[in-house]
Amino acid sequence: MAAPEPERLARVVLSRLSEPGDAVVGRWLDRLPAADLVEAIRTGTVPDHPGLDATRLAGYQARLPGLDPETDLKRVRHTGGRFIIPGDTEWPSQLDDLGDGRPVGLWAVGTGSLRLLALRSVAVVGSRACTAYGAHVAGELSAQLAERGWVVVSGAAYGIDAAAHRGALAVGGMTIGVLACGVDVAYPKGNAELIRRIGVQGLLVSELPPGEHPNRFRFVLRNRVIAALTRGTVVVEAAVRSGALSTARRARDLNRHTMGVAGPVTSELSAGVHALIRSGGATLVTDAAEIGELIGAIGDDLAPQRSGPVLPRDLLEPPVARVLEAVPATAEGAPVERLARRSGLPPDEVLQRLYELGSLGFVERHGAHWRLVRRR
């Protein structure tokens, strides 16, 4: 196997030196190749740069000793994975929308090209402590999306995330789990089997190198990747302070479609979604067809128009309908003169309309009276 190129090795080092979304490193990488940047940090010969101070430089330098990027690459290859960097054919260019906060690289385990899968992907996120309603809706939406050829992206956490992944997997669909830890770390432990299945049937992705564990800030930073990677984000359930709302806000800031699923008005776990929809920050959706219409190709992913059933009397012309409304719901019915007064139409026209209604099966003549046909 050929030796990794210096740029890839340097970006592996940077993935351990810096936390995800480090804008200072991002601004450096706009000016210097990654290999030159690592050497500049090592020697302390970094040129003037906005946001850099002695404390931050010392923090980077403190992490340098003992780093072995080649071992990291071997470790991820051992799990069947790879390290993707900007310039690779598999790199999703939409991540560049994150600007200085763009990942220095992505560790990935699984099948398929991340770039191609992300072209038709949608994020389904929500509360970890979800209700049975939320889990059901997330699973159904994700299964429907997968059946329509969409790739479901989520964070592999408990609750809505897990339900979304399971929904896609259940119908043989593709799903991507964006992790806040190394791709070789099963977190949370209770989702270990689900994460394994995603790595086999779908794709696991992380900014963090092998062996790294999550913390509170890494979850929030992970959400920006979910938002940038996908065509849109659907929030199924979220309380007012839910971390899932940060994904929605990121998606909105990146000009991605942001969608929300309404829940019971009495549920605190839907209060955040409802507030998002009321503020205009998200569009209300109820099924995969409506999601596809928003984020899909114009004219190709239209949702069907929703309407109630068309009843036979809905098709009647207005004068005919007026006469029908005038016929009383009694067994004896009413004579033509009384129906004329009630409908406001001339008796001759009323009689004509009554015969039309009789031929359609709405009314029947009973002596000199007309009455409604009683239907079983």
Side-chain angles (χ1 to χ4, degrees), residues 140-292:
E140 284 293 308
L141 279 179
S142 299
Q144 293 170 11
L145 287 165
E147 288 175 334
R148 289 169 172 263
W150 289 95
V151 177
V152 176
V153 180
S154 200
Y158 290 134
I160 297 300
D161 287 15
H165 291 303
R166 290 191 177 104
L169 292 170
V171 295
M174 179 61 71
T175 185
I176 298 174
V178 182
L179 308 180
C181 56
V183 289
D184 59 341
V185 176
Y187 184 90
K189 292 289 186 182
N191 281 353
E193 176 57 23
L194 173 63
I195 292 170
R196 185 198 67 79
R197 286 182 61 203
I198 296 171
V200 172
Q201 187 173 327
L203 200 59
L204 295 172
V205 175
S206 178
E207 291 180 81
L208 294 157
E212 286 292 316
H213 290 269
N215 60 38
R216 179 180 177 184
F217 303 104
R218 287 174 172 177
F219 283 117
V220 176
L221 292 166
R222 178 273 310 274
N223 291 346
R224 84 194 197 289
V225 175
I226 294 177
L229 193 63
T230 53
R231 298 279 292 272
T233 293
V234 183
V235 187
V236 175
E237 255 184 351
V240 175
R241 289 179 55 84
S242 172
L245 296 179
S246 70
T247 309
R249 286 190 287 268
R250 279 288 190 153
R252 181 188 59 201
D253 293 344
L254 292 167
N255 292 319
R256 308 294 197 266
H257 288 284
T258 307
M259 296 152 279
V261 176
V265 296
T266 54
S267 173
E268 288 295 323
L269 286 175
S270 288
V273 184
H274 295 164
L276 192 67
I277 295 171
R278 286 187 65 237
S279 68
T283 302
L284 177 67
V285 292
T286 61
D287 61 20
E290 293 174 354
I291 296 169

Side-chain angles (χ1 to χ4, degrees), residues 331-335 363-371:
E332 65 271 15
V363 300
E364 61 184 359
R365 187 165 184 167
H366 183 62
H369 288 208
W370 290 83
R371 64 187 181 185

